Structures are given as C-alpha cells and as structure tokens.
Amino acid sequence: MGQFGVTILGVFLCFVLSFHNVLAIETEKLISSQDFDYGDALGKAILFFEGQRSGRLLTSQRVKWRGDSSLSDGKPDNVNLVGGYYDAGDNVKFGWPMAFTVSLLSWAAIEYQIEISSVNQLGYLRSEIRWGADFILQAHTSPTTLYTQVGDGNSDHQCWERPEDMDTPRTLYKITPDSPGTEAAAEAAAALSAASIVFKPIDSNYSSRLLSQSESLFEFADNYRGSYKDSCPFYCSFSGYQDELLWAATWLYKASGDNKYLTYVTSNQGWSQAVSEFSWDNKFAGAQILLAKEFYGGQKDLSKFKTDIESFVCALMPGSSSVQIKTTPGGLLYIRDSSNLQYVTSSSMVLFLYSKTLNAAHMSGVQCGSVHFSASQIRAFAKSQVDYILGNNPMNMSYMAGFGSKYPLQVHQRGASIPSIKAHPAKVGCNDGHSIYYSSSKPNPNTHVGAIVGGPDSNDQFKDLRSDYSHSEPTTYMNAAFVGSAAALFAPNESESESECLQ
C-alpha cells in the first residue's frame, strides 16, 4: 500500500476510534447520571461552607440552623479577626488549613468555571472563596505579621458548645520575624493569588488587592524562613516549608505573569520531591501539576516537576509497578486512618487535573514502569473515588451528609449536634453540651448538608458515632478538594485515542 493509502487508512481508523470513544463516553455519562447526581453533590459540597462560617452571617445565608458567632475575635490585640471558617467540628479558626481551603476552592473555580456555572454554583463558590480570602486579608495586619489562629485549641476541645454560645478563650496566635511560620505565610500567599485570578474578571479592584497582599505575604514567608510550630499539636508541619514556597511562587506566577516567580521556581526545583499525598501539610503535588502544565506549554526547564507529578500518579494507580498507596477491598485509596477521605478527595482532584493536562497536551498517558495508564484510565480511577464517597461502596452509604438515602447521622460537629439557637435559644454550656448532646445516641438535630466525614476504616467499615472523630468529623479542606473533583465530572473526557491521533 502506498504512503497515501496508509495515511487515509490511519485517518479512517482514528475516526472509527474517536467515534467508538464518543459512544463510550456518552454511555459512561448516561450510567453515571443514573447512579449519582453530581450537580447535586457539587452544590451540597459548596453549601457545607455556609455551615462552617464564623462571624456575622449574611442575610443570604442558606444554612438556617447557624447564627452569628465570635463577633469579638481579635479584640485582645485590637485587630479585627471576625469572620473566616471553623476548620472542622470545633470552634477554632486555624489560618493555615483555612488558606489551603481557599487555594483549593479557587483552583476549582479557575479550572472548571464553565462546568460549575452549568449547574448554577459559580456564584455560591465565589462567595465561599471570598469569605475565606477576606479573613486572610484581615489577618495580615502588617507586611511582617500574620495571625494564624483564633481560639485556644485545648480548652475548645474539652468543650462541646455551639459556636453561638462559645465562651472558651479566643486566644490569638501570630507569626512575625521573631516567630516565623513560612508554611502559613506562603499558603496564605498562594490562596490570595489563586483567589485574585477568580475575581479578576468580575472585581478587578478586589483582585488587585488580593494579588498585592499575596506578594507581600510571599516576601514575608521567604525572607523570614522558619517552620511553623505555633499551632501544634493540632496542625504541625511535617513536610517543611519548601513545598509551600514552590506552591505560592507558582500561583503568583499564574496570577501576575511576573517572570521573577518562574525564575524562583526554576532555580529551586531541587526542592521538589516525589510524594504520594497532597494535603494541608504537603503541597508538592499541587505545585508539580501546575508546573507540568507550564512544561507542556513550552517551559522545558521544568521537566523535574513533570517527572515528579507522574511519580505521584504511579504511586496511586492500582496495578502500577510502583504503587505505594493501597486501596481497601472496596477500592478506596487508603493513606492513613485519621480522616482518610481528606487524602482521597485531594488525590482525586490531582488525578482529574493531570488527566485534563495530558489531554490538553495531546499526550497518551503516564508510563509507570512496565505499565501504561492512559489519561482516560487515570480519570476513571479518580471518578471511582468520587463514586465511592457518594455511595458506591460496601456499606452502600454516602459519606456526604444529606446526599442520598443513607448517610452519617452523627456528624462530629458541634453546631450540627446541638439544637439550633433559633430552636433552642437558651445557652448550652460546655458540660451540658457534652452530657446531653455529644454523648447522645440520637441523630444530630441539624443535618450538616454537604459535610464529608473522615470515612470508613481500612476494611470499608464505618460506625456512625459522633465520638469517633477520626471517621465522623468533616473538614473544610476535605470538602474543598471534593468540589474540584465533582466539578471535573462535568468536564468533557477527551479520549486517549483521539489524543494519540493528534500527536
């Protein structure tokens, strides 16, 4: 056969493969839509943040069992620290994980703007991002001062009170040149940079303010390097601060276009490590995926980041010759017992994003030793993790409160587990909260809609117990990563064969 004939045959085969994959994708969408309503899951995952809000609530507040709380935060230092989010089931505001939450929500809004808009959730998502970003702006009270925690963790964890009744000490913690915390300052910089991209098309003044403060925070983080220790034992840094510095510089480059941040990343790429988790403590995989995208865009001196993110993929994919993370018998990634779903949602978000990056670059997939995983296979595995959380698991239950017909009823969250101040105006004190509500075997009086709990154990078993906080407590960063994962399921799944045809 002549060269022309070979070319025609190749084009024909590509057409057939593309048509076949389009049918497969449409079939997958049909099956998925019958199994789970991803739009509903996405909306509820975003709604969750309204139940975690601190401060004076808006008139548009949709979570009606919550009320105003912590309206004097910051007063001991004569600063305004009202607002922000309670990070989990307690009433403490931890600035470092809050900033990571804002980073993840902003990333989702940037990557999946069209998809999130298609289910009328973009406005709500922007509102959640702004609620957190505003607090970070307030907490950055000078170029070299950042408040990182409001509330005494020890006394708070000994009490079981609604946020509206809270009377435990609102102790303030901050980082300064004399008491640095590079991780917290750099994550705050990353959050504000990412948020500035979200708001640039709709509020340029606010976007500029976010970017300016981000640049200041990055200088603070980089110039006064020191690991963050103030909030231990609740949020300790185990991975050091190099991941946050790379992560923040990458977001600053994306937000500002200033090549000095790209130079910073390039000259410090030796910091990058091959990892198997993406979390509030370890941001390497997040920076790597953003920089791998730049590599495919022509920045070939960023190849180490591409190599490292592919190591991350290989560490997670079942069947990989270099797999590091095991799955439960039911197919759930299992990284560690305490709040395992935080790692599942963040890993899924990264896998979805890298699959999208591969397709955009017309790459066929990732080689993991002797095993090749296509972009579609990577995406399918990420989707299986979302489906597990929503109910496709051995317990046949959703791990998102308020989603599906069976879900956790004893979510470990103070406000949800005590009758609303609107239904029960009388104060519920620390001890009464423990004896009457924390220890109760009854379901929570308020369904914390959208809250994703810590999840099942290594054998796919889950006991719906309020006291089992490792498995029943929700967190903001867990939900934030789920928003990015759920939004990805609205994105078109370009077939691997089509990508190969275009190479």
Side-chain angles (χ1 to χ4, degrees):
M1 186 184 295
Q3 182 63 44
F4 180 74
V6 171
T7 302
I8 292 294
L9 179 60
V11 171
F12 175 72
L13 287 173
C14 273
F15 173 77
V16 171
L17 285 169
S18 297
F19 181 70
H20 169 77
N21 278 294
V22 167
L23 287 177
I25 293 163
E26 291 306 316
T27 302
E28 180 190 333
K29 286 180 181 177
L30 182 62
I31 293 170
S32 297
S33 65
Q34 290 173 342
D35 287 347
F36 300 109
D37 183 342
Y38 296 113
D40 184 41
L42 176 65
K44 286 175 175 172
I46 294 170
L47 177 65
F48 160 79
F49 291 92
E50 293 191 27
Q52 295 295 125
R53 286 181 173 180
S54 178
R56 193 173 300 282
L57 303 182
L58 303 174
T59 55
S60 58
Q61 170 83 7
R62 294 176 293 166
V63 177
K64 300 301 183 184
W65 49 268
R66 282 297 321 284
D68 297 343
S69 62
S70 303
L71 299 182
S72 299
D73 279 357
K75 274 197 172 178
D77 284 9
N78 198 31
V79 293
N80 177 14
L81 296 176
V82 176
Y85 292 108
Y86 303 116
D87 81 300
D90 53 27
N91 296 325
V92 183
K93 296 190 298 201
F94 294 101
W96 186 19
M98 192 192 305
F100 182 54
T101 295
V102 173
S103 298
L104 291 181
L105 290 176
S106 299
W107 198 3
I110 293 163
E111 290 285 348
Y112 302 112
Q113 179 178 334
I114 295 172
E115 292 81 7
I116 296 169
S117 292
S118 72
V119 286
N120 301 315
Q121 292 298 320
L122 186 60
Y124 293 121
L125 179 55
R126 285 171 173 161
S127 178
E128 309 310 340
I129 294 167
R130 189 162 192 152
W131 193 270
D134 281 349
F135 180 82
I136 298 170
L137 290 173
Q138 291 172 201
H140 186 214
T141 56
S142 85
T144 55
T145 306
L146 176 70
Y147 283 84
T148 54
Q149 183 177 327
V150 182
D152 177 68
N154 289 310
S155 61
D156 179 90
H157 289 181
Q158 291 168 9
C159 273
W160 197 258
E161 295 176 307
R162 298 176 295 202
E164 297 82 1
D165 288 335
M166 186 180 14
D167 52 12
T168 50
R170 301 303 286 169
T171 311
L172 304 178
Y173 299 81
K174 62 185 176 183
I175 54 175
T176 65
D178 295 328
S179 178
T182 294
E183 295 92 338
E187 183 58 61
L192 296 188
S193 283
S196 76
I197 300 173
V198 173
F199 289 100
K200 190 171 184 178
I202 58 170
D203 191 338
S204 59
N205 289 336
Y206 183 60
S207 174
S208 296
R209 184 182 171 207
L210 292 170
L211 182 57
S212 174
Q213 292 296 303
S214 172
E215 291 170 337
S216 175
L217 280 160
F218 182 75
E219 286 183 23
F220 175 37
D222 195 36
N223 291 339
Y224 299 95
R225 294 184 188 178
S227 189
Y228 183 54
K229 301 293 185 186
D230 274 346
S231 67
C232 288
F234 305 110
Y235 284 100
C236 305
S237 176
F238 298 100
S239 67
Y241 54 68
Q242 293 174 332
D243 54 321
E244 276 84 12
L245 287 173
L246 286 174
W247 171 243
T250 302
W251 275 113
L252 273 161
Y253 173 65
K254 285 180 65 68
S256 69
D258 191 331
N259 280 322
K260 73 178 181 183
Y261 296 112
L262 185 61
T263 300
Y264 183 96
V265 165
T266 305
S267 59
N268 291 307
Q269 61 184 307
W271 292 346
S272 183
Q273 300 173 19
V275 295
S276 57
E277 77 172 59
F278 178 48
S279 65
W280 57 264
D281 179 46
N282 195 320
K283 319 293 166 47
F284 280 122
Q288 288 158 5
I289 196 168
L290 290 168
L291 293 166
K293 191 173 182 179
E294 296 295 329
F295 167 82
Y296 287 122
Q299 300 285 350
K300 298 305 179 184
D301 52 351
L302 298 174
S303 60
K304 176 167 172 50
F305 298 105
K306 170 188 172 291
T307 301
D308 286 348
I309 191 59
E310 295 194 345
S311 293
F312 177 90
V313 173
C314 293
L316 266 60
M317 291 295 291
S320 166
S321 56
S322 55
V323 68
Q324 295 179 34
I325 304 303
K326 295 182 179 179
T327 56
T328 65
L332 181 71
L333 283 168
Y334 201 80
I335 294 177
R336 55 180 62 91
D337 187 60
S338 182
S339 193
N340 180 59
L341 288 188
Q342 69 174 293
Y343 308 105
V344 176
T345 57
S346 59
S347 296
S348 298
M349 184 175 182
V350 168
L351 292 174
F352 275 124
L353 285 166
Y354 199 58
S355 171
K356 181 183 179 185
T357 299
L358 290 170
N359 278 328
H362 307 307
M363 301 301 296
S364 62
V366 173
Q367 193 69 32
C368 301
S370 59
V371 183
H372 180 82
F373 293 103
S374 69
S376 294
Q377 287 173 310
I378 295 167
R379 176 186 166 87
F381 179 62
K383 178 181 178 297
S384 76
Q385 301 303 291
V386 173
D387 289 347
Y388 186 108
I389 291 170
L390 295 180
N392 186 14
N393 57 62
M395 295 289 289
N396 291 314
M397 72 179 295
S398 160
Y399 290 105
M400 174 187 281
F403 183 88
S405 58
K406 181 184 178 184
Y407 50 81
L409 300 176
Q410 290 196 28
V411 174
H412 179 98
Q413 207 262 8
R414 286 159 173 73
S417 69
I418 301 173
S420 169
I421 196 167
K422 297 171 185 178
H424 183 87
K427 180 180 172 66
V428 178
C430 175
N431 294 330
D432 285 344
H434 259 297
S435 60
I436 300 173
Y437 299 107
Y438 177 77
S439 303
S440 171
S441 60
K442 296 178 181 178
N444 287 351
N446 308 301
T447 300
H448 197 351
V449 174
I452 298 172
V453 297
D457 64 18
S458 59
N459 293 311
D460 301 295
Q461 298 303 299
F462 178 80
K463 294 178 181 177
D464 190 4
L465 291 173
R466 194 176 296 109
S467 57
D468 186 7
Y469 62 88
S470 291
H471 302 104
S472 62
E473 186 173 19
T475 69
T476 55
Y477 40 90
M478 185 149 51
N479 261 66
F482 185 86
V483 168
S485 298
L489 289 167
F490 296 96
N493 182 11
E494 183 185 345
S495 74
E496 56 175 308
S497 298
E498 184 180 359
S499 296
E500 289 165 356
C501 289
L502 294 171
Q503 285 188 71

